[in-house]
């Protein structure tokens, strides 16, 4: 397929979109993951189809040597296997974008949401003016040292 083919994929456009992303917000990370997944899927499909096509073309090759025609199917599978490995790598590339965003959600967004929920939960209670850690407000010094003179 040529780049000017309207029925073809938009791989070039996806790469340009990926290149244009500047990481400023969490939405940028989401868009990056989405585009990287689309690129990985597109490459996986293209390379997989090309591997099958090349294997089929090479399996029909009739060489000049008398044994080459018999072995061409085996050799074509070996040649196509390298492209299939590349297709698997492209699939992993797309999956890595999804995993990156899931990890971002797990390690950054969820703790932020949980902390916000905890802060809202405690707003109705009367809090002491100053507190460090989980010490009771009537103790002085380390926990368990209440009533000791300094």
């Amino acid at each position: 397929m040529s780049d000017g083919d309207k029925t073809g994929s938009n791989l070039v456009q996806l790469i340009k979109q990926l290149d244009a992303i500047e990481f400023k917000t969490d939405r940028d990370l989401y868009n990056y993951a989405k585009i990287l997944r689309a690129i990985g899927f597109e490459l996986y499909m293209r390379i997989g189809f090309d591997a099958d096509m090349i294997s089929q073309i090479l399996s029909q090759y009739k060489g000049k040597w008398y044994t080459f025609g018999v072995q061409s199917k085996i050799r074509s599978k070996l040649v196509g296997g390298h492209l299939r490995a590349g297709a698997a790598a492209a699939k992993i590339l797309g999956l890595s974008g999804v995993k990156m965003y899931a990890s971002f959600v797990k390690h950054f967004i969820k703790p932020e949401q949980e902390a916000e929920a905890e802060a809202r939960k405690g707003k109705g209670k009367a809090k002491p003016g100053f507190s460090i850690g989980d010490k009771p407000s009537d103790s002085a010094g380390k926990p368990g040292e209440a009533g000791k003179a300094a």
Side-chain angles (χ1 to χ4, degrees):
M1 273 184 221
S2 66
D3 290 334
D5 189 6
K6 297 291 183 190
T7 61
S9 69
N10 55 357
L11 187 59
V12 174
Q13 293 172 352
L14 289 171
I15 292 172
K16 286 179 182 178
Q17 288 175 2
L18 189 73
D19 189 41
I21 292 178
E22 294 182 22
F23 300 111
K24 294 182 180 177
T25 66
D26 59 336
R27 198 73 184 154
D28 295 333
L29 286 175
Y30 175 75
N31 288 332
Y32 184 86
K34 188 172 75 170
I35 293 170
L36 194 62
R37 180 182 175 274
I39 289 172
F41 180 73
E42 183 65 34
L43 284 174
Y44 171 70
M45 294 299 292
R46 278 189 182 198
I47 294 171
F49 286 141
D50 290 346
D52 291 339
M53 183 175 62
I54 287 172
S55 291
Q56 289 299 315
I57 289 170
L58 292 177
S59 70
Q60 297 171 4
Y61 178 72
K62 306 287 185 225
K64 294 180 182 175
W65 299 3
Y66 66 93
T67 59
F68 203 82
V70 175
Q71 297 176 354
S72 63
K73 288 187 180 186
I74 296 169
R75 293 178 185 202
S76 69
K77 287 182 182 180
L78 294 172
V79 171
H82 292 290
L83 278 181
R84 283 188 200 88
K91 187 177 184 180
I92 292 170
L93 168 78
L95 185 60
S96 68
V98 174
K99 286 184 175 183
M100 177 271 308
Y101 187 73
S103 180
F104 169 72
V105 168
K106 178 182 177 183
H107 296 293
F108 286 92
I109 293 177
K110 291 275 185 184
E112 191 75 23
Q113 289 173 342
E114 290 169 1
E116 201 173 289
E118 283 294 319
R120 272 184 287 186
K121 195 184 299 182
K123 281 195 177 195
K125 299 178 183 175
K127 293 184 183 179
F130 182 79
S131 175
I132 296 176
D134 293 328
K135 290 190 282 183
S137 61
D138 61 338
S139 69
K142 294 181 183 176
E145 293 184 350
K148 289 186 180 178

